[in-house]
Every structure is written in C-alpha cells, then in structure tokens.
C-alpha cells in the first residue's frame, strides 16, 4: 500500500495520470490527421531503437472510451493528455473539424466519468508542413493561431491548459543532440528553437486569453539539477552551463529576465532572431507551472569540439547506483532539490507535478506484472513531495507518467513507463501492481478512511 501524508489525500491534493497524443493515439490519416515531424523522424532508418513508429501505438484514437473507463476504475479524478496539433489543422492551416471531434468525444467521455481534463497543446508532434519547424519564427505565430482555435472550440471544457510540454527536449534533443525529431545537430539552431518555442508560448497565452479569460494557463517544464562529475573547477563550470541550458534558458524569459550571457554568446550572430519586445511576449503571467521530474544529470568538462561549443558533456550515471530500465538514476532527493532551487530563484506560481514515473520493463507473468521497481520509485518520490509540502511548497497535484505503456520516443516500445501494461499485439490493457496500489489508495481515501504513515 502506498503511504501518503495527510496533506496529499485526494480531497486536498490532485491525483492524476498522464499521456501524450503521439505516444498513445496512433497516427493514421483517419480523421484528417496530417503528418508530424515525429512521423517523419520514425520513417528515417536508425532513428528509433526498435525501428517502430507511432502508427498504432496504443490505438487510443479508437479505444479512448475503454481507456477513460480504466482511468475512472483506477480512481483518478484528473487526466493529463495532449492535443495533437496535426489533427486540428489541415496542411493549409485551416481547422479540421473531424480532428476536433475526436477531442470532443474524449472530453464527453471524461465528463461522464467525472474526470477533469488537464490539456497540453503541444507535446512535440509538430505538423510537418510548418516549414523550418521551430527554426522559423512563423511557427510561433502558427502556434498562437492553433491555440486560439482550441480556445474557441474546446476552451469552455478545458479548465487548465499548458501551452508546451518540456520545450528543452524539443529544442536541445531535437536540434542540438539530434536524438529527437527533427534530428538536427547544431548548437545555434537549438537556441533559436528554444527562443521560438518561448515566443510561441507567450503568443499562445495571449491568443488564448483574447478568447477566454477564465482558463488557468501555464507551461510544463523539465528543469533538472546538473551535478558536476568531479569537484574540479572545469567540471563545476560545465555543470553550471548545463543547468543554464536546462533551467535559466526557459525560466528566465518566462519571468521577464534575459538569458545568461553564456547562453547568448553561444548563439553567435543568430542572437539577432531575438527581437525587441520578444521578452515581454514570453513573460505572460502564469496561473501555474507544471514540472516533470525523473532524474538528475551529471555533467563534465567538454572533450570533443562539438561538446566545446555546448560547454559541457553529459556523463552516463554510475552503473552501481539504482537505475530504472531505461538507465536513468533513481534520485528522489532531486525532486526536493530542484523545487527548492527553483523557488529560490524565480517567483513561481503554484506547481503541479505533471509527470513522474519510471521505466520498469518487468513482464506480465500469469496475468500479473509485479513492477516493484516502479512501486518503490513512486513511493520514494511521494515521500519527497510530502516533505516539500510540509515545508510549505505550493504544490497542488501529482500526475503519474504514464497511464499506459506507450511509444517512448527514440526508444520505441522498448521502454515501458505505464502503470497499465499494454500487449501491443492484442492491445489488451492489464493494470500492474503499481496501478492497483494507486487504486487502493484512491478508493480507500475517497471513502475517507486513510491510514496515514
Ligand atoms: C518525458 C516526456 C514524456 C515521456 C517521459 C518518459 O520527458 O514528456 O513524453 O516520454 O519523459
């Protein structure tokens, strides 16, 4: 049984589960969906570990009703999902009402089960026809148009909306390290993309608020601590640069502050893409901030030329430490450290933990998945949350990543993050031990009889 602090019972604290469009829906053309950069990336040989794609994924596009029932059965009253931009607009950026209808059906189903939607407008699946992707300033304006469409057509049913999910990944994994779509490897490009993503966020918030004033608007980030590999001044400097890219790069503009000089210097002449007035656009007042937390990073001084441009090199975690199936260090203290660090530096609005979870590839045996690694991971991270809340941090909710095993980006289907097992041959869903543990907690505490630790 999961143990939670009294301040975290579902009557006082929001418990939810999270997914994203590309990872679960399936990407067929049905409903007029247009290709996204992740479809293109999957089609390139060698990009996805198991050479798979999002074509079928969890077939959620057809199975959403069953999935909503599952969410309800597990006792969740909140569900975070993303809307696929590529279902909402045609290649000429006109509204595709069939795509919109899918989300209307999903929202109907959620409503019938008393589940509150928590939507994200962009979780990486950028429509391919937006030329230049995030390197093109126009994409930020197209995002604002798209946000406005959603506000007009679904806005009255969405109480809380995040513009972007983890823009660090879109910018730096997509345009610098090249491991995510679109797979570019250029430092200046990554910084241009980061700037345009922040601009898109600001323009998107403005566009939404021009339609609807009552929606709580925010952004989902994945700030991280980057610890130095050794105490040497070089490694410490490298870790500081890595942290700047991860945190300052996004949080500074969101709160009206310039990028640190180190980041600006890395843009070279491209710094001209940052126009006068952009910072004001980026710094729209936020109603909440979503934080996704999985692990920490370790950085050291650069070795190769490309790492020198970046200023640091990520080091793989120590294999003697506890790692999840994907090889990420299990480091629960990082959740407290990162939130305390952020609160000390920026005037954050209320926080929601919008993703936390572990890859645990334990297979199903006789119809049961004993995902003990995940169960322990969740418990130790919830303990950190309890400490943070006790010390007064303004954290309003916790969403586990993820409801379902799904398409884990460049790892394809090789990493299972779900609390519900998915058999990708039959699409059968089977709640794992972790899901049953959460279910017990949520059902139990809904009956107002919680046993506190
Ligand atoms: C986060 C992503 C999410 C999922 C988890 C494991 O960075 O937001 O889509 O892939 O990692």
């Amino acid at each position: 049984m999961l143990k939670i602090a009294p301040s975290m019972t579902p009557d006082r604290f929001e418990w939810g589960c999270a997914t994203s469009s590309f990872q679960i829906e399936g990407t067929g053309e049905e409903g007029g969906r247009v290709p996204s950069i992740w479809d293109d990336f999957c089609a390139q040989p060698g990009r996805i570990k198991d050479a798979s794609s999002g074509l079928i994924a969890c077939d959620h596009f057809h199975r959403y009703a069953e999935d909503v029932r599952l969410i309800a059965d597990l006792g969740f009253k909140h569900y975070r999902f993303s809307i696929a931009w590529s279902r909402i607009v045609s290649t000429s950026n006109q509204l595709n009402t069939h795509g919109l209808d899918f989300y209307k059906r999903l929202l109907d189903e959620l409503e019938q089960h008393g589940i509150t939607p928590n939507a994200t407008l962009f979780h990486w699946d950028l429509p391919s026809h937006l030329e230049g992707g995030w390197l093109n300033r126009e994409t930020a304006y197209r995002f604002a148009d798209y946000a406005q469409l959603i506000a007009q057509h679904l806005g009255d049913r969405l109480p809380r909306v995040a513009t972007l999910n983890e823009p660090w990944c879109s910018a730096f994994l997509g345009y610098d390290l090249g491991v995510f779509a679109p797979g570019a490897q250029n430092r200046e490009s990554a910084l241009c993309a980061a700037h345009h993503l922040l601009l898109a966020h600001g323009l998107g918030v403005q566009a939404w608020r021009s339609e609807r004033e009552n929606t709580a608007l925010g952004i989902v980030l994945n700030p991280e601590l980057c610890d130095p590999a050794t105490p040497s001044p070089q490694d410490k400097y490298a870790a500081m640069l890595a942290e700047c890219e991860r945190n300052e790069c996004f949080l500074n503009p969101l709160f009206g502050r310039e990028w640190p000089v180190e980041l600006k210097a890395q843009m070279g002449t491209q710094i001209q893409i940052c126009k006068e007035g952009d910072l004001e656009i980026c710094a729209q007042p936020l109603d909440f901030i979503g934080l996704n937390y999985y692990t920490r990073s370790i950085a050291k001084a650069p070795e190769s030329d490309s790492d020198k441009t970046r200023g640091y090199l990520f080091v793989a975690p120590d294999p003697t430490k506890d790692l999840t199936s994907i090889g990420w260090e299990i480091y629960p203290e990082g959740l407290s450290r990162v939130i305390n660090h952020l609160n000390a530096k920026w005037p954050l609005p209320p926080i929601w933990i919008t993703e936390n979870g572990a890859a645990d590839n334990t297979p199903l045996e006789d119809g049961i998945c004993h995902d003990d690694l995940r169960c322990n991971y969740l418990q130790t991270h919830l303990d950190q949350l309890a400490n943070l809340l006790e010390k007064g941090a303004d954290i309003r909710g916790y969403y586990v990543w993820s409801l379902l095993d799904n398409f884990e980006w460049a790892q394809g289907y090789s990493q299972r993050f779900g609390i519900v097992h998915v058999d990708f041959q039959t699409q059968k869903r089977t709640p794992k031990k972790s899901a049953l543990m959460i279910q017990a907690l949520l059902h139990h505490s809904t009956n107002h009889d919680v046993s506190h630790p």
Side-chain angles (χ1 to χ4, degrees):
M1 173 90 172
L2 269 177
K3 291 198 172 76
I4 54 158
S7 53
M8 289 169 71
T9 53
D11 51 334
R12 304 169 65 180
F13 190 78
E14 203 173 295
W15 284 81
C17 54
T19 62
S20 90
S21 50
F22 193 87
Q23 293 179 277
I24 64 164
E25 286 179 1
T27 57
E29 288 168 10
E30 200 180 333
R33 180 185 178 279
V34 298
S36 79
I37 60 171
W38 268 94
D39 298 276
D40 305 341
F41 194 66
C42 292
Q44 294 171 19
R47 293 297 201 179
I48 310 298
K49 192 169 171 186
D50 54 7
S52 63
S53 75
L55 185 61
I56 311 277
C58 305
D59 194 31
H60 174 76
F61 184 74
H62 299 111
R63 295 168 195 265
Y64 66 93
E66 178 193 341
D67 290 338
V68 172
R69 274 201 302 278
L70 185 59
I71 298 170
D73 283 349
L74 293 178
F76 291 108
K77 295 266 179 272
H78 303 269
Y79 174 52
R80 173 175 180 243
F81 62 99
S82 76
I83 297 173
W85 190 346
S86 54
R87 288 196 188 279
I88 301 300
V89 298
S90 65
T91 49
S92 53
N93 296 317
Q94 299 305 305
L95 176 68
N96 167 25
T97 52
H98 299 297
L100 201 62
D101 287 345
F102 168 65
Y103 296 103
K104 287 188 177 159
R105 293 196 294 274
L106 174 65
L107 290 170
D108 287 345
E109 208 65 38
L110 289 168
E111 202 175 298
Q112 275 164 30
H113 287 86
I115 298 166
T116 307
N118 185 343
T120 300
L121 297 180
F122 177 67
H123 198 125
W124 310 348
D125 39 1
L126 184 72
S128 308
H129 67 268
L130 297 172
E131 238 168 89
W134 289 113
L135 299 184
N136 187 348
R137 190 178 171 91
E138 280 303 303
T139 300
Y141 291 88
R142 296 295 76 74
F143 177 77
D145 297 342
Y146 156 61
Q148 188 151 3
L149 283 177
I150 300 295
Q152 279 164 358
H153 296 278
L154 300 177
D156 57 336
R157 307 183 64 185
L158 297 174
R160 191 171 329 121
V161 172
T163 51
L164 312 178
N165 177 70
E166 300 188 0
W168 177 82
C169 295
S170 303
F172 292 96
L173 298 182
Y175 290 86
D176 183 6
L177 297 176
V179 294
F180 274 13
Q185 288 182 293
N186 182 293
R187 184 69 184 167
E188 289 176 7
S189 296
L191 288 154
C192 288
H195 179 70
H196 290 146
L197 279 151
L198 285 158
L199 196 64
H201 157 79
L203 292 167
V205 170
Q206 286 179 336
W208 188 290
R209 290 210 170 113
S210 73
E211 290 294 331
R212 314 197 69 84
E213 285 172 0
N214 298 336
T215 318
L217 294 180
I219 185 169
V220 172
L221 301 179
N222 57 335
E224 219 177 73
L225 294 171
C226 302
D227 286 329
T230 73
S232 77
Q234 291 82 356
D235 285 355
K236 281 188 177 164
Y237 184 68
M240 184 280 284
L241 285 178
E243 230 173 69
C244 249
E245 171 195 305
R246 192 79 185 217
N247 304 337
E248 272 77 356
C249 179
F250 297 94
L251 285 150
N252 271 16
L254 289 174
F255 294 99
R257 301 179 197 163
E258 296 265 355
W259 274 353
V261 282
E262 293 85 352
L263 274 186
K264 279 191 180 175
Q266 291 186 356
M267 281 194 91
T269 53
Q270 293 292 321
I271 192 72
Q272 287 161 359
I273 64 139
C274 306
K275 310 266 186 241
E276 219 187 310
D278 283 3
L279 201 56
E280 286 71 40
I281 298 175
C282 298
Q284 297 302 307
L286 296 176
D287 299 308
F288 72 92
I289 192 152
L291 300 182
N292 295 349
Y293 178 81
Y294 290 93
T295 187
R296 67 165 160 180
S297 302
I298 309 282
K300 69 172 185 176
E303 285 162 5
S304 70
D305 279 351
S306 64
D307 298 334
K308 281 192 183 129
T309 328
R310 195 174 294 127
Y312 71 87
L313 176 65
F314 278 135
V315 182
D318 178 351
T320 63
K321 295 239 164 83
D322 288 338
L323 308 179
T324 62
S325 298
I326 201 172
W328 298 350
E329 181 186 348
I330 302 177
Y331 186 64
E333 308 89 281
L335 181 59
S336 299
R337 281 182 63 200
V338 81
I339 289 183
N340 289 333
H341 175 77
L342 259 50
N343 268 330
K345 274 194 135 165
W346 292 281
L348 300 189
I351 298 169
W352 267 259
I353 305 298
T354 31
E355 288 180 26
N356 177 240
D360 175 348
N361 292 343
T362 307
L364 269 191
E365 261 175 59
D366 301 328
I368 301 174
C369 175
H370 291 277
D371 55 343
D372 292 314
L373 181 147
R374 179 176 294 104
C375 293
N376 291 330
Y377 181 101
L378 296 178
Q379 181 66 67
T380 51
H381 287 74
L382 290 168
D383 291 345
Q384 293 289 324
L385 264 190
N387 283 338
L388 283 159
L389 286 167
E390 197 181 319
K391 298 211 173 79
D394 189 1
I395 306 171
R396 309 275 176 99
Y398 176 87
Y399 285 67
V400 63
W401 182 274
S402 178
L403 171 68
L404 301 170
D405 289 335
N406 58 46
F407 177 78
E408 179 45 38
W409 309 111
Q411 301 288 327
Y413 298 95
S414 71
Q415 297 300 328
R416 292 179 176 267
F417 273 91
I419 55 170
V420 173
H421 180 274
V422 177
D423 178 328
F424 291 104
Q425 302 303 318
T426 61
Q427 291 296 341
K428 185 170 187 310
R429 276 83 160 128
T430 312
K432 302 178 188 177
K433 188 171 164 185
S434 55
L436 301 176
M437 204 171 71
I438 295 175
Q439 183 184 44
L441 171 93
L442 296 177
H443 281 193
H444 201 65
S445 34
T446 315
N447 298 335
H448 301 288
D449 180 22
V450 189
S451 59
H452 300 309

